[in-house]
């Protein structure tokens, strides 16, 4: 069984609410299941959780002789989907397609995955109890409240944070260089992770992507890249510079074909993560033969920041004292969070000693993504305030001195505003949109009956009455 990452995982990234941008409709988010003003189409709720479920067979001549049930989702809740697969896969292999269809029908009745909500999700005769994390959750503090009446028909799945990957487990073989890796991800540098297995490759890439949280990684990343991917030729060519992308690979063939990439991380077997790793210097990219056996970082990059010896000593001490992996992960994630936050502060206030690093960061895709999201947030906030101000106006009084043409123009503009608010999910108060609809209907009621009939039609195009 496996939970593969989508081949192009841009949709996997979270917005500031902790969910992908297109996963929840504004109506469902406000009213909950069963209270939608717009009828839900079949599989609408299913698509909030999964893109598809596949049964994949591998040919003996082309791949492994297994049949690895596959779920593809925009959501990065790896542990949750692993738990879901453990319930569905055995039943599927025993009872075939009807069982899979029943499971999909169960998922299609689930409520939307809203951040901060604890949901009861019935599946295959049991109930999975899941709390959807929010971007405001502190690492390692979220637990599901256990019910005294909980029985064998309930399965609790803890999703501790938006980013579930154990950072320390991923970075343990190279944790002496974590600050340098943070800089490389922050700047959107081309990066290759060479690992012994697809799961370790995927975990490390997702760990790298999440290490600059709360900043959203805006470049492309491929947790498991193979020679069969359509971009293989583009990424292995030496005639142009590698693109801004993080690749996770396992095939030793890539040690030769990706020698021209500027930054390569070799991850050893994560089962040995409990051992105290030796401090290894960053190696040059002149000769990559050692990549076949020795973990390390291969790069000519010179970090802008001085190495933080304190975090290295803290993690080393944790290894010596056999500190639980969850605690080591929380320490490392908190370190990355504070590092990113202290870097972002100058972007919204004044510049300080980050100036040289900022100069390069401003040219990276991550800054462009951050700036676009901030501009979108501010624009939507202004639009929401404008809508609320319109709802507080006495529009009947205002149109008394307006001509018929001006009144029709006002109606059309208000309808456009309403459609925009619904389409872009503007952060308005719960009753704002219904009040705006009432205003529009009131203004239309002051017009002649022939115009009323046209304007009351849903989705009236502007040119119809111009």
């Amino acid at each position: 069984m496996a939970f593969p990452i989508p081949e192009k995982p841009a949709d996997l990234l979270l917005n500031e609410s902790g969910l992908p941008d297109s996963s929840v409709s504004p109506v469902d988010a406000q009213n909950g299941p069963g209270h939608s003003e717009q009828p839900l189409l079949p599989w609408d709720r299913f698509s909030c959780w999964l893109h598809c479920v596949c049964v994949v067979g591998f040919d003996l001549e082309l791949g492994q002789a297994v049949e690895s049930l596959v779920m593809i989702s925009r959501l990065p809740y790896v542990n949750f989907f692993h738990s879901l697969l453990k319930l569905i896969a055995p039943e599927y292999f025993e009872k075939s397609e009807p069982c899979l269809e029943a499971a999909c029908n169960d998922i299609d009745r689930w409520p939307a995955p809203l951040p901060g909500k604890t949901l009861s999700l019935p599946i295959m005769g049991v109930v999975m109890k899941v709390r959807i994390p929010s971007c405001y959750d502190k690492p390692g503090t979220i637990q599901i409240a256990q019910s005294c009446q909980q029985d064998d028909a309930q399965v609790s799945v803890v999703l501790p944070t938006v980013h579930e990957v154990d950072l320390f487990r991923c970075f343990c073989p190279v944790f002496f260089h974590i600050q340098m890796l943070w800089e490389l991800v922050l700047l959107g540098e081309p990066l290759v992770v060479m690992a012994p297995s697809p799961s370790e490759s995927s975990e490390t890439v997702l760990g790298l992507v999440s290490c600059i949280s709360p900043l959203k990684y805006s470049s492309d990343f491929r947790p498991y890249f193979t020679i069969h991917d359509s971009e293989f030729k583009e990424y292995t060519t030496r005639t142009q510079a590698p693109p801004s992308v993080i690749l996770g690979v396992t095939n030793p063939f890539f040690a030769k074909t990706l020698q021209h990439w500027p930054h390569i991380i070799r991850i050893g077997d994560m089962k040995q993560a409990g051992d105290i790793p030796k401090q290894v210097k960053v190696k040059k990219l002149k000769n990559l033969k050692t990549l076949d056996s020795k973990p390390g970082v291969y790069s000519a990059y010179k970090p802008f920041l001085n190495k933080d010896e304190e975090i290295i000593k803290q993690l080393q001490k944790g290894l010596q004292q056999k500190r639980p992996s969850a605690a080591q992960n929380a320490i490392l994630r908190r370190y990355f969070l504070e590092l990113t936050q202290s870097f972002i502060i100058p972007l919204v206030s004044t510049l300080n000693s980050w100036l040289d690093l900022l100069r390069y960061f401003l040219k990276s895709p991550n800054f462009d993504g951050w700036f676009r999201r901030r501009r979108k947030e501010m624009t939507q906030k202004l639009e929401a305030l404008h809508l609320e101000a319109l709802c507080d106006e006495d529009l009947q009084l205002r149109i008394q001195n307006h001509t018929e043409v001006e009144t029709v123009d006002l109606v059309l503009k208000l309808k456009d505003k309403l459609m925009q608010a619904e389409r872009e999910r503007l952060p308005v108060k719960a009753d704002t949109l219904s009040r705006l609809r009432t205003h529009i209907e009131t203004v239309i009621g002051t017009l002649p009956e022939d115009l009323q009939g046209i304007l009351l039609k849903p989705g009236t195009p502007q040119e119809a009455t111009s």
Side-chain angles (χ1 to χ4, degrees):
M1 293 183 296
F3 170 52
I5 307 301
E7 198 169 86
K8 294 196 175 182
D11 288 339
L12 190 73
L13 304 177
L14 304 180
N15 61 23
E16 284 69 20
S17 68
L19 283 175
D21 289 339
S22 60
S23 60
V24 183
S25 72
V27 175
D28 277 351
Q30 291 179 12
N31 300 321
H35 297 281
S36 173
E37 295 181 12
Q38 299 176 353
L40 287 171
L41 297 175
W43 307 113
D44 269 3
R45 288 200 178 98
F46 178 90
S47 63
C48 288
W49 291 91
L50 291 172
H51 177 68
C52 65
V53 179
C54 314
V55 179
V56 180
F58 290 86
D59 190 279
L60 277 171
E61 297 180 0
L62 300 177
Q64 296 168 295
V66 294
E67 188 176 42
S68 82
L69 188 62
V70 175
M71 290 181 176
I72 299 179
S73 172
R74 296 188 178 102
L75 302 175
Y77 306 141
V78 181
N79 292 337
F80 169 73
F81 286 110
H82 271 153
S83 301
L84 190 60
L85 276 171
K86 287 178 183 178
L87 289 172
I88 298 176
E91 292 288 322
Y92 164 72
F93 288 116
E94 181 180 344
K95 302 175 183 176
S96 195
E97 281 83 2
C99 169
L100 196 58
E101 185 177 352
C104 291
N105 281 320
D106 284 342
I107 296 172
D108 191 41
R109 290 193 289 269
W110 288 359
L114 297 179
K117 299 291 185 182
T118 300
L119 306 176
S120 294
L121 309 176
I123 183 76
M124 308 292 291
V126 301
V127 176
M128 299 185 73
K129 190 176 181 183
V130 182
R131 182 192 183 278
I132 303 299
S134 162
C135 61
Y136 302 108
D137 293 342
K138 294 182 180 179
T141 61
I142 300 305
Q143 296 292 332
I144 292 182
Q146 299 293 329
S147 170
C148 297
Q149 288 77 33
Q150 184 167 341
D151 53 31
D152 293 339
Q154 289 186 315
V155 179
S156 290
V157 181
V158 177
L159 306 183
T161 62
V162 170
H163 304 289
E164 294 183 42
V165 176
D166 187 331
L167 278 183
F168 183 72
R169 183 170 176 268
C170 294
F171 294 161
C172 189
V174 291
F175 84 82
F176 289 102
H177 310 298
I178 53 175
Q179 198 167 324
M180 173 184 171
L181 297 179
W182 175 84
E183 284 193 26
L184 292 175
V185 177
L186 181 78
L187 299 176
E189 286 286 314
L191 199 58
V192 178
V193 175
M194 295 187 176
S197 71
S199 60
E200 290 164 325
S201 159
S202 298
E203 283 187 48
T204 305
V205 171
L206 292 176
L208 287 168
V209 167
S210 71
C211 79
I212 60 171
S213 177
L215 189 67
K216 179 180 176 182
Y217 184 76
S218 300
S219 295
D220 194 6
F221 62 97
R222 308 296 178 85
Y224 181 44
F225 185 78
T226 73
I227 60 175
H228 302 291
D229 280 86
S230 57
E231 286 83 4
F232 172 77
K233 186 176 181 180
E234 174 190 349
Y235 290 168
T236 54
T237 182
R238 295 172 181 266
T239 58
Q240 60 187 24
S244 176
V245 61
I246 301 178
L247 300 182
V249 302
T250 60
N251 194 329
F253 177 68
F254 284 109
K256 295 181 179 179
T257 56
L258 297 179
Q259 285 190 36
H260 62 294
W261 278 57
H263 318 291
I264 297 177
I265 304 171
R266 178 69 169 90
I267 299 295
D269 191 347
M270 291 185 187
K271 292 178 182 177
Q272 302 171 358
D275 300 334
I276 299 177
K278 297 179 181 179
Q279 183 162 358
V280 181
K281 292 183 179 180
V282 176
K283 301 163 187 175
K284 303 294 183 182
L285 284 165
K286 294 179 181 178
N287 190 342
L288 294 186
K289 291 181 180 179
T290 54
L291 277 174
D292 293 333
S293 58
K294 295 182 180 180
V297 178
Y298 297 77
S299 174
Y301 179 80
K302 294 182 179 180
F304 288 93
L305 304 180
N306 295 325
K307 183 178 288 188
D308 190 336
E309 299 291 347
E310 187 60 34
I311 184 64
I312 301 297
K313 291 178 182 178
Q314 192 175 2
L315 294 173
Q316 276 184 308
K317 185 177 180 181
L319 284 172
Q320 293 166 352
Q321 297 178 346
K322 299 188 182 303
R323 184 185 291 149
S325 179
Q328 292 280 82
N329 177 55
I331 291 171
L332 186 55
R333 192 166 287 287
R334 173 59 60 182
Y335 168 75
F336 280 135
L337 178 65
E338 292 175 352
L339 190 62
T340 305
Q341 286 178 331
S342 61
F343 173 72
I344 291 177
I345 287 173
L347 296 178
V348 291
S349 56
T350 57
L351 300 180
N352 57 17
S353 61
W354 294 100
L355 189 59
D356 289 336
L357 185 57
L358 275 169
R359 186 178 294 115
Y360 283 84
F361 174 70
L362 293 176
K363 301 175 184 178
S364 74
N366 289 328
F367 170 77
D368 183 66
W370 175 87
F371 178 77
R372 288 175 183 272
R373 281 190 300 280
R374 291 290 293 178
R375 183 171 62 179
K376 181 179 178 181
E377 288 172 7
M378 296 306 297
T379 302
Q380 288 186 334
K381 183 63 177 177
L382 289 173
E383 290 289 345
L385 291 173
H386 186 211
L387 282 178
E388 290 167 5
L390 284 173
C391 290
D392 293 332
E393 285 288 325
D394 187 349
L395 296 182
Q396 269 190 301
L397 181 64
R398 284 191 169 272
I399 64 172
Q400 287 181 359
N401 297 324
H402 286 192
T403 65
E404 192 172 280
V405 173
E406 291 173 331
T407 302
V408 170
D409 185 61
L410 175 63
V411 169
L412 294 174
K413 288 180 178 178
L414 289 176
K415 294 185 75 171
D416 284 341
K417 288 279 186 185
L418 180 61
M419 292 175 62
Q420 179 189 7
E422 294 173 335
R423 182 176 63 252
E424 298 183 8
R425 307 169 190 172
L426 296 182
V428 295
K429 295 177 183 177
D431 64 338
T432 297
L433 298 185
S434 59
R435 290 174 61 199
L436 186 60
R437 291 190 190 94
T438 302
H439 275 344
I440 293 173
E441 291 169 1
T442 301
V443 174
I444 291 176
T446 66
L447 293 169
E449 289 186 4
D450 57 338
L451 283 178
Q452 289 186 34
I454 296 174
L455 294 174
L456 285 173
K457 291 180 181 179
T460 303
Q462 186 164 345
E463 58 266 26
T465 53
S466 60

